């Protein structure tokens, strides 16, 4: 496809597809080389969900006969605000104006770009900044909004986060930037942005009047210390949440990816606009989901249990992967970002691993965009999702390591 196509034309032409579609096409004619295949591709937790969720949904089944408000109930917004207060020490988050529930964070990350692009007047095409590699929704959202996706290298050389010093020097780019998608802990590398890093990103957003969208859906899965949040950093500034939105969800925190429940919080004026846009074109959260979400945000005990389960998996990773694949325990999240350069291109590695040992992982090349030389920052990496139970994880890693022995 040619660069003359608009973003929507690229999407319609199939020029840009998800990593999972590309992986399916890569392996369509390759049989797994093991009688018990293990899929470590999708970030879909298989740990046990909280026991009370089904009962909470059952208790609200009568609400299925009603349209729920796009802004959801006071109870849900208050529950989210209370969680933010407990987690980040922000006591004055306004649940009416500064919290907006979503049908999962992905939906919000997409819809939020519409007012972000619409509010910015630029002399050239509006730009949307994102790390490279990245979560595919960032790229798809930019294309759908007819904005230019700008990929900021997030490599070992940059600490697996975009280089904000290099970004600050490109004033022409910043002057036409509408939004900056930032993920911490980062997907796929698991790197945590420091409070100082977040403060610098906030300063850039305010100086050049773009929206900083912090995707924090992995914030509750960490190996040592909890990641700082963009709202806690912003709350300490005189402008508070101006130009800043944090996104989070129950998918990873509470093992509930199928519940499709999340939120956006921060800049109240921006969220007012987002709410009205969603009221025109977005689906409401079903009543039983809303009711159950209150109970889940109110409970932190199950989150600690889930976190400990992942920490046990990382102990296995430490023992089995030390000295192999450039292994580094991630700061947060449940992905491994393994360097397979000694085995060739990441696509070749993925095919070989599936063909010989029946373990499916994602080529890093499918999670990143090409740079000027035609290569991507993920060409020699694979992403491994530690979403299965401990024994299945151990079995899968044994097979992976066999390629290195």
């Amino acid at each position: 496809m040619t660069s003359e196509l608009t973003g929507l034309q690229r999407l319609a032409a199939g020029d840009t597809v998800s990593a999972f579609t590309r992986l399916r096409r890569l392996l369509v004619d390759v049989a797994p080389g093991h009688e018990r295949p293990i899929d470590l591709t999708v970030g879909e937790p298989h740990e046990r969900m909280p026991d009370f969720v089904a009962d909470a949904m059952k208790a609200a089944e009568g609400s299925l006969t009603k349209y729920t408000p796009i802004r959801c109930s006071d109870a849900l917004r208050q529950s989210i605000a209370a969680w933010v207060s407990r987690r980040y020490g922000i006591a004055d988050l306004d649940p009416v104006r500064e919290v907006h529930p979503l049908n999962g964070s992905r939906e919000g990350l997409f819809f939020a770009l519409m007012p972000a692009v619409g509010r910015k007047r630029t002399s050239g095409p509006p730009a949307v900044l994102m790390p490279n590699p990245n979560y595919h929704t960032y790229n798809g959202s930019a294309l759908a909004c007819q904005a230019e996706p700008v990929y900021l290298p997030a490599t070992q050389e940059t600490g697996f986060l975009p280089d904000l010093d290099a970004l600050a020097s490109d004033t022409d780019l910043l002057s036409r930037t509408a939004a900056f998608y930032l993920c911490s802990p980062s997907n796929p590398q698991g790197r945590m942005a420091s409070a100082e890093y977040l403060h610098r990103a906030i300063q850039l957003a305010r100086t050049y009047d773009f929206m900083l969208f912090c995707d924090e859906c992995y914030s509750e899965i960490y190996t040592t210390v909890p990641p700082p949040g963009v709202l806690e950093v912003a709350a300490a500034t005189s402008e508070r949440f101006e130009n800043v939105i944090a996104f989070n969800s129950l998918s990873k925190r509470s093992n509930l990816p199928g519940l499709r429940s999340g939120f956006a919080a921060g800049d109240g004026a921006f969220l007012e606009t987002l709410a009205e846009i969603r009221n025109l074109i977005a689906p409401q959260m079903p009543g039983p989901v809303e009711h159950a979400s209150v109970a889940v945000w109110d409970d932190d005990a199950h989150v600690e249990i889930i976190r400990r389960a992942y920490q046990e998996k990382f102990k296995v990773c430490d023992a089995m992967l030390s000295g192999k694949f450039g292994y580094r325990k991630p700061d947060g999240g449940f992905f491994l970002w393994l360097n397979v350069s000694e085995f060739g291109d990441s696509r070749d590695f993925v095919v070989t691993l599936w063909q010989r040992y029946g373990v499916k992982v994602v080529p890093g090349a499918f999670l990143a965009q090409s740079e000027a030389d035609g290569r991507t920052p993920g060409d020699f990496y694979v992403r491994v999702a530690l979403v299965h139970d401990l024994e299945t994880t151990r079995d899968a890693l044994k097979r992976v390591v066999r390629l290195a022995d």
Side-chain angles (χ1 to χ4, degrees):
M1 301 299 170
T2 67
S3 58
E4 288 76 19
L5 294 178
T6 67
L8 285 174
Q9 288 169 336
R10 288 177 59 187
L11 290 174
D15 178 33
T16 301
V17 296
S18 78
F20 304 112
T21 297
R22 297 178 68 186
L23 179 60
R24 176 176 53 80
R25 293 171 179 172
L26 178 69
L27 299 178
V28 65
D29 295 321
V30 182
H34 197 283
E35 62 183 8
R36 192 171 72 88
I38 302 175
D39 189 337
L40 302 178
T41 60
V42 181
E44 180 182 72
H46 292 185
E47 298 294 331
R48 184 172 177 173
M49 71 177 187
D51 293 334
F52 55 80
V53 172
D55 289 339
M57 295 183 73
K58 179 69 174 176
E61 64 180 5
S63 63
L64 290 173
T65 64
K66 302 176 182 178
Y67 289 117
T68 55
I70 197 70
R71 299 168 193 251
C72 294
S73 66
D74 291 343
L76 178 54
R77 294 195 306 273
Q78 289 166 0
S79 177
I80 292 169
W83 176 78
V84 172
S85 176
R86 295 195 306 275
R87 174 63 171 82
Y88 297 111
I90 303 171
D92 58 347
L93 185 68
D94 183 350
V96 175
R97 194 165 184 267
E98 295 175 334
V99 174
H100 186 64
L102 301 164
N103 294 296
S105 57
R106 178 165 70 169
E107 182 231 18
L109 290 163
F110 172 76
F111 279 114
L113 195 59
M114 294 181 184
V117 170
R119 68 185 285 279
K120 185 71 178 279
R121 299 293 182 265
T122 62
S123 57
V128 177
L129 312 181
M130 62 196 72
N132 193 20
N134 58 56
Y135 180 39
H136 56 249
T137 295
Y138 311 156
N139 189 52
S141 300
L143 295 176
C145 287
Q146 302 286 45
E148 178 191 352
V150 177
Y151 309 112
L152 306 177
T155 62
Q156 185 172 0
E157 291 71 28
T158 68
F160 294 115
L161 291 167
D163 184 341
L164 296 186
D165 289 334
L167 177 61
S169 68
D170 195 344
T171 56
D172 288 340
L173 170 62
L174 289 169
S175 67
R176 61 184 182 89
T177 294
F180 179 6
Y181 284 111
L182 181 63
C183 186
S184 176
S186 59
N187 171 10
Q189 311 95 324
R191 183 55 58 90
M192 180 190 305
S194 68
E196 293 74 20
Y197 184 98
L198 293 172
H199 188 265
R200 183 76 188 284
I202 293 168
Q203 287 180 317
L204 288 173
R206 290 172 178 165
T207 299
Y208 293 94
D209 194 24
F210 60 80
M211 296 304 302
L212 178 61
F213 292 156
C214 258
D215 182 352
E216 298 179 348
C217 71
Y218 298 97
S219 67
E220 303 315 290
I221 302 172
Y222 48 84
T223 51
T224 52
V225 298
V230 73
L231 295 183
E232 86 180 286
V233 176
T237 68
S238 59
E239 300 93 339
R240 240 164 89 64
F241 305 133
E242 188 175 319
N243 294 86
V244 174
I245 299 291
F247 296 85
N248 214 317
S249 83
L250 296 176
S251 296
K252 276 62 176 179
R253 171 191 182 267
S254 302
N255 288 334
L256 290 167
L259 193 68
R260 308 314 306 140
S261 180
F263 70 84
D267 188 321
F270 183 84
L271 289 179
E272 284 291 312
T273 303
L274 174 60
E276 290 307 319
I277 290 175
R278 289 189 68 250
N279 207 22
L280 291 172
I281 56 178
Q284 301 99 319
M285 182 182 291
V289 172
E290 183 179 311
H291 187 72
S293 297
V294 173
V296 181
W297 285 117
D298 283 348
D299 182 75
D300 295 326
H302 73 277
V303 183
E304 179 58 34
I305 293 171
I306 292 168
R307 187 181 302 120
R308 287 200 298 267
Y310 283 111
Q311 290 170 346
E312 289 302 310
K313 294 178 196 179
F314 281 116
K315 289 179 183 178
V316 172
C317 293
D318 290 345
M320 298 183 67
L321 296 176
S322 178
K324 300 179 176 68
F325 303 108
Y327 169 73
R328 176 190 64 84
K329 182 188 296 184
D331 301 328
F334 49 55
F335 295 121
L336 303 180
W337 189 234
L338 301 182
N339 188 323
V340 297
S341 56
E342 64 179 294
F343 304 94
D345 182 272
S346 63
R347 286 158 284 211
D348 296 333
F349 180 90
V350 167
V351 171
T352 301
L353 181 64
W354 181 244
Q355 193 172 45
R356 292 186 184 177
Y357 302 118
V359 175
K360 188 183 296 184
V361 297
V362 181
F366 291 177
L367 298 167
Q369 302 296 324
S370 297
E371 298 183 328
D373 61 0
R375 306 295 296 179
T376 86
D379 279 349
F380 300 110
Y381 288 84
V382 296
R383 192 186 79 173
V384 180
L386 302 180
V387 292
H388 292 280
D389 62 75
L390 188 62
E391 289 310 309
T392 302
T393 299
R394 194 191 310 274
D395 182 11
L397 292 179
K398 284 181 180 178
R399 301 187 208 176
V400 172
V401 168
R402 289 177 67 182
L403 282 184
D405 292 338

